[in-house]
Amino acid sequence: METKLIKVNPENPEPESVNLAARVIKNGGLVAFPTETVYGLGANALDEKAAFKIYQAKQRPQDNPLIVHIHSPGELEKLVSGVPRSARILMEKFWPGPLTMVLNKSGAVPYGTTGGLDTVAVRMPRHPVALALIRESGVPIAAPSANISGRPSPTAAEDVYEDLAGRVDLILDGGPCEVGVESTVLDLTGELPVILRPGGVTREELEAVLGRVELDPGLAEGQKPRSPGQKYRHYSPKARVLVVEGPVEAQVRKITELAEKLTAEGKKVGIMATAQTRRFYGTGCVLSVGDREAPLTISSNLFSVLRKFDRLGVEEVLAEGIPETGLGLAVMNRLRKAAGYNIIKLE
């Protein structure tokens, strides 16, 4: 398969490019497109055969549910069996935006899209290109991140091309993604709202409008995931990643010690530092992921820095942890998974 790569204006997408992409979706094909979180790999969410192509292209396990993207709140009604009051409050506050809601599905949504579950995950993205594509396609679009399963999610079109060239019909290049980590996935099917995946809408923001919101501890091995990103290894570069958590000064000392040891063993070492700490490291390939005082700079750079380490041939990545407040919760969720929970906690 030849993959077409087309640049589009991220603020005002050209109709001819959107129309071409929409025709691919209508014909059961695959289109990678930008959202405010990461690039998505899209297909007709109501066509089980089209959804299956997503799993094939990504090499993704078929019990890992897909998120369904819509272009207006009104589209939600036909995808779910009922819309609770909490969902309406959240739509008013956070849509369009990086919030996915899990609700009981209607018969219109095939099990091939939901990973065999009776629930469906739905969101309305904020990116003009994504909204234009969904609107022009005339169908909701199922779209997980546009990468090979397990790799760092793509925040630029070149990341998508690196992973999926020859596997998808078309890539719409709308420039870099703003948020850089996936949407928050919130389960609204129980008594209390439960965050299944932290993301671009923070727990604090959700609790400000809903009251108490619980954080799911994760599913035990052998259970079906209720959300993308819960069951399988995710976000991992080719290099081995170790996360060092604790007070900043202690992190710097430990990472410096480990970098010197690994370098002496002949390993090519990468250090994922922050703007505040980068100057303290003298060993290894040091990249700043962003500013500790501005977590959005870290979330927007996280996956691109992991991919850059791969391009530099780094074998071992030593990464600083950040506080789990606000967007820091989503950042640490992704970073720990990228490390396969290979973590050192310091006092």
Side-chain angles (χ1 to χ4, degrees), residues 20-21 98 149 201 216 223 296 313:
L20 175 61
S149 190
V201 174
D216 191 284
Q223 291 183 277
L296 181 58

Side-chain angles (χ1 to χ4, degrees), residues 16 19-20 22 32 64 70 103 109-110 124 140 142 168 219 229 297 328:
E16 57 271 22
N19 290 342
L20 175 61
N64 199 358
I70 59 178
L103 299 163
V109 185
M124 179 182 173
V168 302
L219 294 173
T297 65

Side-chain angles (χ1 to χ4, degrees), residues 248-249 251-253 255-256 260 271 273-283 286 292 320:
V248 177
E249 297 82 358
Q251 286 182 19
V252 171
R253 286 195 301 271
I255 288 174
T256 298
E260 291 174 351
I271 296 175
T274 53
Q276 287 82 355
T277 60
R278 182 176 184 174
R279 68 184 185 276
F280 298 127
Y281 297 109
T283 303
V286 185
R292 285 176 176 269
E320 297 176 359

Side-chain angles (χ1 to χ4, degrees), residues 35 39 127 155-156 173-178:
T35 78
Y39 273 72
H127 201 289
T155 54
D173 180 358
C177 299
E178 173 194 355

Side-chain angles (χ1 to χ4, degrees), residues 243-253 255 271-281 288-299 301 318-328 331-332 335:
V243 181
V244 179
E245 302 179 25
V248 177
E249 297 82 358
Q251 286 182 19
V252 171
R253 286 195 301 271
I255 288 174
I271 296 175
M272 184 184 286
T274 53
Q276 287 82 355
T277 60
R278 182 176 184 174
R279 68 184 185 276
F280 298 127
Y281 297 109
S288 172
V289 71
D291 188 334
R292 285 176 176 269
E293 304 301 320
L296 181 58
T297 65
I298 295 178
S299 69
N301 289 321
L318 305 173
E320 297 176 359
I322 65 170
E324 292 182 271
T325 54
L327 269 175
V331 168
M332 291 308 297
L335 194 51

